[in-house]
Coordinates of all heavy atoms in Angstrom, one line a residue:
L1146 N 0.8 -1.2 0.0 CA 0.0 0.0 0.0 C 0.9 1.3 0.0 O 0.6 2.2 -0.7 CB -0.9 0.0 1.2 CG -1.8 1.3 1.5 CD1 -2.7 1.5 0.3 CD2 -2.6 1.1 2.8
E1147 N 1.9 1.3 0.8 CA 2.8 2.4 0.9 C 3.5 2.7 -0.5 O 3.7 3.8 -0.8 CB 3.8 2.2 2.0 CG 3.2 2.3 3.4 CD 4.1 1.9 4.5 OE1 5.1 1.3 4.2 OE2 3.9 2.3 5.6
R1148 N 3.8 1.6 -1.2 CA 4.5 1.7 -2.5 C 3.6 2.5 -3.5 O 4.0 3.2 -4.3 CB 4.8 0.4 -3.0 CG 6.0 -0.3 -2.4 CD 7.3 0.2 -3.1 NE 7.4 -0.3 -4.4 CZ 7.5 0.5 -5.5 NH1 7.7 1.8 -5.3 NH2 7.6 0.0 -6.7
T1149 N 2.3 2.3 -3.4 CA 1.3 2.9 -4.4 C 1.0 4.3 -4.0 O 0.5 5.0 -4.9 CB 0.0 2.1 -4.4 OG1 -0.6 2.1 -3.2 CG2 0.3 0.6 -4.9
I1150 N 1.2 4.8 -2.8 CA 0.8 6.1 -2.4 C 2.0 7.0 -2.1 O 1.8 8.1 -1.5 CB -0.2 6.1 -1.2 CG1 0.5 5.4 0.0 CG2 -1.4 5.3 -1.6 CD1 -0.4 5.5 1.2
G1151 N 3.2 6.5 -2.3 CA 4.4 7.4 -2.2 C 4.9 7.5 -0.7 O 5.5 8.5 -0.4
L1152 N 4.7 6.5 0.1 CA 5.2 6.5 1.4 C 6.4 5.5 1.5 O 6.4 4.5 0.8 CB 4.2 6.1 2.5 CG 3.1 7.1 2.8 CD1 2.1 6.4 3.8 CD2 3.7 8.3 3.4
P1153 N 7.5 5.9 2.3 CA 8.6 4.9 2.5 C 8.1 3.6 3.2 O 7.2 3.7 4.0 CB 9.6 5.7 3.3 CG 8.8 6.7 4.0 CD 7.7 7.1 3.1
V1154 N 8.6 2.5 2.8 CA 8.1 1.2 3.3 C 8.4 1.1 4.8 O 7.9 0.1 5.5 CB 8.7 0.0 2.5 CG1 8.1 0.1 1.1 CG2 10.2 0.0 2.5
T1155 N 9.3 1.9 5.3 CA 9.6 1.9 6.8 C 8.6 2.7 7.6 O 8.6 2.6 8.8 CB 11.0 2.5 7.0 OG1 11.1 3.8 6.5 CG2 12.1 1.6 6.3
Q1156 N 7.7 3.4 7.0 CA 6.7 4.2 7.7 C 5.6 3.3 8.3 O 5.0 2.5 7.6 CB 6.1 5.2 6.7 CG 5.0 6.1 7.4 CD 5.5 7.0 8.4 OE1 6.4 7.8 8.1 NE2 5.0 7.0 9.6
Q1157 N 5.4 3.5 9.6 CA 4.3 2.8 10.2 C 3.0 3.5 10.1 O 2.9 4.7 10.2 CB 4.6 2.6 11.7 CG 5.8 1.7 12.0 CD 5.6 0.3 11.5 OE1 4.5 -0.3 11.6 NE2 6.6 -0.2 10.8
I1158 N 2.0 2.8 9.6 CA 0.7 3.4 9.4 C -0.4 2.7 10.1 O -0.3 1.5 10.5 CB 0.4 3.4 7.9 CG1 0.3 2.0 7.3 CG2 1.4 4.3 7.1 CD1 -0.2 2.0 5.8
E1159 N -1.5 3.4 10.3 CA -2.7 2.9 10.9 C -3.9 3.3 10.1 O -4.1 4.5 9.8 CB -2.9 3.3 12.3 CG -4.1 2.8 13.0 CD -4.3 3.4 14.4 OE1 -3.3 4.0 15.0 OE2 -5.4 3.3 15.0
L1160 N -4.8 2.3 9.7 CA -5.9 2.6 8.9 C -7.1 3.0 9.8 O -7.4 2.2 10.7 CB -6.3 1.4 8.0 CG -5.2 0.8 7.1 CD1 -5.8 -0.2 6.2 CD2 -4.6 2.0 6.3
T1161 N -7.6 4.1 9.6 CA -8.7 4.6 10.5 C -10.1 4.2 10.1 O -11.0 4.2 10.9 CB -8.6 6.2 10.6 OG1 -8.9 6.7 9.2 CG2 -7.3 6.7 11.1
D1162 N -10.3 3.8 8.8 CA -11.6 3.3 8.4 C -11.7 1.8 8.6 O -10.8 1.1 8.4 CB -11.8 3.7 6.9 CG -12.0 5.2 6.7 OD1 -12.3 5.9 7.7 OD2 -11.8 5.6 5.5
T1163 N -12.9 1.4 9.0 CA -13.2 0.0 9.1 C -13.7 -0.5 7.7 O -13.8 0.3 6.8 CB -14.3 -0.3 10.1 OG1 -15.5 0.5 9.8 CG2 -13.8 0.2 11.5
V1164 N -13.9 -1.8 7.6 CA -14.3 -2.4 6.3 C -15.7 -1.8 6.0 O -16.6 -2.2 6.8 CB -14.3 -3.9 6.4 CG1 -14.7 -4.5 5.0 CG2 -12.9 -4.4 6.7
P1165 N -15.9 -1.0 5.0 CA -17.2 -0.5 4.7 C -18.1 -1.5 4.1 O -17.7 -2.4 3.4 CB -16.9 0.6 3.7 CG -15.7 0.2 3.0 CD -14.9 -0.6 4.0
Y1166 N -19.4 -1.5 4.4 CA -20.4 -2.4 3.8 C -21.7 -1.7 3.9 O -22.2 -1.2 4.9 CB -20.4 -3.7 4.5 CG -21.5 -4.6 3.9 CD1 -21.4 -5.1 2.6 CD2 -22.6 -4.9 4.6 CE1 -22.4 -5.8 2.0 CE2 -23.7 -5.6 4.1 CZ -23.5 -6.1 2.8 OH -24.6 -6.9 2.3
G1167 N -22.5 -1.9 2.8 CA -23.8 -1.4 2.7 C -24.4 -2.0 1.4 O -23.7 -2.0 0.4
P1168 N -25.7 -2.4 1.4 CA -26.3 -2.9 0.2 C -26.3 -1.8 -0.9 O -26.6 -0.7 -0.6 CB -27.7 -3.3 0.6 CG -27.6 -3.5 2.1 CD -26.6 -2.6 2.6
L1169 N -26.0 -2.2 -2.1 CA -26.0 -1.2 -3.2 C -27.4 -0.8 -3.5 O -28.2 -1.6 -3.7 CB -25.3 -1.8 -4.4 CG -25.0 -0.8 -5.5 CD1 -23.9 0.2 -5.1 CD2 -24.6 -1.6 -6.8
P1170 N -27.7 0.5 -3.6 CA -29.0 1.0 -3.9 C -29.4 0.5 -5.4 O -28.5 0.2 -6.2 CB -28.9 2.5 -3.9 CG -27.7 2.8 -3.1 CD -26.8 1.7 -3.3
E1171 N -30.7 0.5 -5.6 CA -31.2 0.1 -6.9 C -30.6 1.0 -8.0 O -30.5 2.2 -7.8 CB -32.7 0.1 -7.0 CG -33.3 -1.0 -6.1 CD -33.0 -2.4 -6.7 OE1 -32.9 -2.5 -8.0 OE2 -32.9 -3.4 -5.9
L1172 N -30.2 0.4 -9.1 CA -29.5 1.2 -10.1 C -30.2 0.9 -11.5 O -30.4 -0.2 -11.9 CB -28.0 0.8 -10.3 CG -27.1 1.7 -11.1 CD1 -27.0 3.0 -10.4 CD2 -25.7 1.0 -11.2
N1173 N -30.7 2.0 -12.1 CA -31.3 1.9 -13.4 C -30.2 1.6 -14.4 O -29.4 2.5 -14.7 CB -32.1 3.1 -13.8 CG -32.9 3.0 -15.1 OD1 -32.3 2.7 -16.2 ND2 -34.2 3.2 -15.0
I1174 N -30.2 0.4 -15.0 CA -29.0 0.0 -15.8 C -28.9 0.9 -17.1 O -27.8 1.2 -17.5 CB -29.1 -1.5 -16.2 CG1 -27.8 -1.9 -16.9 CG2 -30.4 -1.8 -17.0 CD1 -26.6 -1.9 -16.1
D1175 N -30.0 1.2 -17.7 CA -30.0 2.1 -18.9 C -29.4 3.5 -18.6 O -28.6 4.0 -19.4 CB -31.4 2.2 -19.5 CG -31.9 0.8 -20.1 OD1 -31.0 0.0 -20.5 OD2 -33.1 0.6 -20.0
E1176 N -29.9 4.1 -17.5 CA -29.4 5.4 -17.2 C -27.9 5.3 -16.8 O -27.1 6.2 -17.1 CB -30.2 5.9 -16.0 CG -31.7 6.3 -16.4 CD -32.4 6.8 -15.2 OE1 -31.8 6.9 -14.1 OE2 -33.6 7.1 -15.3
A1177 N -27.5 4.2 -16.1 CA -26.2 4.0 -15.7 C -25.3 3.9 -17.0 O -24.2 4.5 -17.0 CB -26.0 2.8 -14.8
L1178 N -25.7 3.2 -18.0 CA -24.9 3.0 -19.2 C -24.8 4.4 -19.9 O -23.7 4.7 -20.4 CB -25.5 2.0 -20.1 CG -25.4 0.5 -19.6 CD1 -26.2 -0.4 -20.5 CD2 -23.9 0.1 -19.5
Q1179 N -25.9 5.1 -20.0 CA -25.8 6.4 -20.7 C -24.8 7.4 -19.9 O -24.1 8.1 -20.5 CB -27.2 7.1 -20.7 CG -28.1 6.4 -21.7 CD -27.5 6.3 -23.1 OE1 -27.0 7.2 -23.6 NE2 -27.7 5.1 -23.8
Q1180 N -24.8 7.2 -18.6 CA -23.9 8.0 -17.8 C -22.4 7.6 -18.1 O -21.5 8.4 -18.2 CB -24.2 7.8 -16.3 CG -23.2 8.6 -15.4 CD -23.5 8.3 -13.9 OE1 -23.6 7.1 -13.6 NE2 -23.4 9.3 -13.1
A1181 N -22.2 6.3 -18.2 CA -20.9 5.8 -18.5 C -20.4 6.3 -19.9 O -19.2 6.7 -20.0 CB -20.9 4.3 -18.4
Y1182 N -21.3 6.3 -20.9 CA -20.9 6.7 -22.2 C -20.6 8.2 -22.3 O -19.8 8.6 -23.1 CB -22.0 6.4 -23.2 CG -22.3 4.9 -23.4 CD1 -23.6 4.5 -23.6 CD2 -21.3 4.0 -23.3 CE1 -23.9 3.1 -23.7 CE2 -21.6 2.6 -23.4 CZ -22.9 2.2 -23.6 OH -23.2 0.9 -23.8
S1183 N -21.2 9.0 -21.4 CA -21.0 10.4 -21.4 C -19.9 10.9 -20.5 O -19.4 12.0 -20.6 CB -22.3 11.1 -21.1 OG -22.7 10.8 -19.7
R1184 N -19.5 10.0 -19.5 CA -18.5 10.5 -18.5 C -17.3 9.6 -18.4 O -16.3 10.1 -17.9 CB -19.2 10.5 -17.1 CG -20.4 11.4 -17.0 CD -20.9 11.6 -15.6 NE -19.8 12.0 -14.7 CZ -19.9 12.3 -13.4 NH1 -21.1 12.1 -12.9 NH2 -18.9 12.7 -12.7

């Protein structure tokens, strides 16, 4: 992880966030695809 974010590998780190989880809200697939094509 430190290699990907520019920290020396000797740096001690602590992750403050816990493992996030929540059911994904309903997603309109057609609107989602149009969003993907435009963005």
Side-chain angles (χ1 to χ4, degrees):
L1146 173 60
E1147 290 172 338
R1148 284 274 296 124
T1149 61
I1150 62 176
L1152 287 176
V1154 294
T1155 56
Q1156 177 69 55
Q1157 293 300 314
I1158 61 174
E1159 178 184 345
L1160 305 187
T1161 59
D1162 289 342
T1163 57
V1164 181
Y1166 174 69
L1169 189 70
E1171 290 294 328
L1172 193 66
N1173 186 303
I1174 188 64
D1175 294 329
E1176 293 180 358
L1178 289 174
Q1179 291 304 317
Q1180 180 187 41
Y1182 298 143
S1183 62
R1184 299 190 57 176

